[in-house]
């Protein structure tokens, strides 16, 4: 079974645009190349995880450096100012910025797992620069490169205050090169923090891995955990589209308190363990693969029941689960228009009522 077959989620093809107006400010800033590299090394400018891999080869990278040495114009970069820290997150331009860092460091596209690294010598450029590392450049060329300007467009969401979700949409539209990032890959990059760290840890939980199978290469398993937490904790605030709802929840809980994160951890582990022990690996599946709408509603229904007291009878629990999947209204709500507000609230309500009877 491929990654694409592991999960059935109608919301993946939902193109609904969130009905929201953003107030975004942007301004230009000119950084010299040496200053860019220093900021990257300090983390003042940072490239979030899960951005697409560095894909330039040595010739691509060399020609970019050569363009700077020649004084030729190069495309600018897009950065987003992170609320609270004022650090600048790279929205577009990571290939160029990483190339600068690699050249100044003297190593091309280093891999921590490899014992040897390729020295970054310019290749496929004019004879004057061919084979030269940064330290090999003539002093005048090195100074010229250091002082070359990289233009940056810096964006910041002014309103609505608090969720910073506009940056997601900017990121999604600008990062169209190469492999298109999934919603969760973008989310994990932009809203990195304690919540994302916790969800990544929960994704390794043994009972969850038994149900889901091998880790999903595009983070769909991570997204499902987030989806359960968001639906169960903030379901009353749900508005279509699902991705925007998950963005808001992640942004609002990005650096939640340790106490709240512990509650999230216990909530997920207790719920998924009960389901695995009673239903087994077939949980959340209607036909082939996990159905995301079945997952979020069953998980929320079971979590609500657990909150009222322990469930000790596995047969009683399994019977409730079986009857739920025989409920025509529930099946319709998890099979059609699954991100619609009415269907989300309906399937959660039906699931909660179904598991109320578990002993």
């Amino acid at each position: 079974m491929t990654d694409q077959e592991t999960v059935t989620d109608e919301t993946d093809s939902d193109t609904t645009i969130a009905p929201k107006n953003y107030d975004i400010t942007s301004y230009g800033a000119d950084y010299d190349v040496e200053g860019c590299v220093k900021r990257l090394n300090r983390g003042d400018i940072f490239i979030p995880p899960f951005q697409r891999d560095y894909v330039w080869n040595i010739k691509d990278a060399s020609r970019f450096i050569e363009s700077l040495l020649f004084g030729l114009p190069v495309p600018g970069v897009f950065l987003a100012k992170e609320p609270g820290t004022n650090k600048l997150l790279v929205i577009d331009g990571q290939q160029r910025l990483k190339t600068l860092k690699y050249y100044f460091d003297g190593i091309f596209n280093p891999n921590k797992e490899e014992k040897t690294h390729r020295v970054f010598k310019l290749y496929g450029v004019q004879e004057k620069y061919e084979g030269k590392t940064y330290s090999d450049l003539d002093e005048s060329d090195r100074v010229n490169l250091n002082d070359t300007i990289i233009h940056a467009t810096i964006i910041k969401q002014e309103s609505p205050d608090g969720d910073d979700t506009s940056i997601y949409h900017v990121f999604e539209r600008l990062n169209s090169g190469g492999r298109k990032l999934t919603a969760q890959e973008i989310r994990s990059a932009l809203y990195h923090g304690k919540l994302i760290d916790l969800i990544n840890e929960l994704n390794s939980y043994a009972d969850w891995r038994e149900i889901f199978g091998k880790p999903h290469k595009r983070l769909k398993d991570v997204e499902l955990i987030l989806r359960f937490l968001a639906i169960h904790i903030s379901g009353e605030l749900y508005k279509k589209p699902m991705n925007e709802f998950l963005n808001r929840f992640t942004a609002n809980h990005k650096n939640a308190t340790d106490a709240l994160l512990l509650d999230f951890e216990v909530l997920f582990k207790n719920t998924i363990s009960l389901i695995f022990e009673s239903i087994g690996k077939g949980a959340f599946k209607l036909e082939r693969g996990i159905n995301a709408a079945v997952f979020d509603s069953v998980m929320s229904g079971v979590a609500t029941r657990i909150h009222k007291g322990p469930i000790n009878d596995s047969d009683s629990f399994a019977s409730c689960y079986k009857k739920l999947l025989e409920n025509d209204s529930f099946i319709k709500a998890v099979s059609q228009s699954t991100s619609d507000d009415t269907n989300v609230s309906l399937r959660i309500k039906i699931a909660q009522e179904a598991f109320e009877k578990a002993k």
Side-chain angles (χ1 to χ4, degrees), residues 9 16-17 27 52 61 71 93 103 107 145 178 183 193 204 214 220 223 254 259 280 299 302 311 325 327 331 350:
D9 186 1
T16 303
I17 303 299
Y27 57 92
R52 67 189 181 100
Y103 192 57
I107 300 174
L145 178 61
S204 299
K214 65 181 181 179
K220 194 64 184 181
E223 182 178 88
K254 175 181 173 180
M299 287 286 288
V302 173
I311 297 175
L325 295 191
N327 184 310
I331 294 302
I350 294 174

Side-chain angles (χ1 to χ4, degrees), residues 140-194:
S140 59
D141 289 324
R142 192 163 56 251
V143 170
N144 181 49
L145 178 61
N146 291 346
D147 292 343
T148 298
I149 296 299
I150 299 292
H151 181 73
T153 299
I154 300 175
I155 60 176
K156 182 181 180 182
Q157 178 179 313
E158 300 294 344
S159 68
D161 187 36
D163 64 18
D164 214 30
T165 51
S166 67
I167 308 303
Y168 174 95
H169 298 292
V170 175
F171 193 107
E172 181 185 38
R173 285 159 173 74
L174 288 178
N175 279 262
S176 57
R179 184 186 74 170
K180 183 175 175 60
L181 295 175
T182 66
Q184 187 58 38
E185 286 173 323
I186 298 175
R187 202 174 287 124
S188 293
L190 296 185
Y191 306 125
H192 61 96
K194 291 181 178 180

Side-chain angles (χ1 to χ4, degrees), residues 92-203:
D92 185 61
Q94 71 138 324
Q95 304 292 315
R96 280 156 273 158
L97 293 174
K98 280 187 174 180
T99 295
L100 293 175
K101 176 174 168 54
Y102 294 160
Y103 192 57
F104 274 60
D105 291 347
I107 300 174
F108 181 72
N109 195 13
N111 186 332
K112 293 180 180 179
E113 297 179 359
E114 296 178 356
K115 294 182 179 179
T116 59
H117 301 291
R118 182 175 184 177
V119 176
F120 194 162
K121 296 181 179 181
L122 298 180
Y123 170 76
V125 295
Q126 286 201 3
E127 184 177 354
K128 178 181 180 181
Y129 303 121
E130 185 72 24
K132 288 193 174 183
T133 65
Y134 174 74
S135 59
D136 291 334
L137 291 173
D138 294 339
E139 183 177 1
S140 59
D141 289 324
R142 192 163 56 251
V143 170
N144 181 49
L145 178 61
N146 291 346
D147 292 343
T148 298
I149 296 299
I150 299 292
H151 181 73
T153 299
I154 300 175
I155 60 176
K156 182 181 180 182
Q157 178 179 313
E158 300 294 344
S159 68
D161 187 36
D163 64 18
D164 214 30
T165 51
S166 67
I167 308 303
Y168 174 95
H169 298 292
V170 175
F171 193 107
E172 181 185 38
R173 285 159 173 74
L174 288 178
N175 279 262
S176 57
R179 184 186 74 170
K180 183 175 175 60
L181 295 175
T182 66
Q184 187 58 38
E185 286 173 323
I186 298 175
R187 202 174 287 124
S188 293
L190 296 185
Y191 306 125
H192 61 96
K194 291 181 178 180
L195 177 62
I196 291 296
D197 289 345
L198 171 65
I199 293 174
N200 287 331
E201 291 177 15
L202 293 177
N203 197 40

Side-chain angles (χ1 to χ4, degrees), residues 27 39 50 82 91 101-102 163 182 194 199 268 272 295 302 329 335 353:
Y27 57 92
R39 286 175 170 83
F50 303 111
E82 187 177 56
I91 299 295
K101 176 174 168 54
Y102 294 160
D163 64 18
T182 66
K194 291 181 178 180
I199 293 174
F268 174 76
I272 201 67
F295 173 83
V302 173
S329 296
S335 303
E353 290 174 350

Side-chain angles (χ1 to χ4, degrees), residues 273-289:
S273 289
L274 175 60
I275 292 171
F276 176 61
E277 290 164 6
S278 303
I279 309 300
K281 295 183 179 181
F284 315 121
K285 297 174 183 176
L286 292 183
E287 295 178 353
R288 183 176 61 181

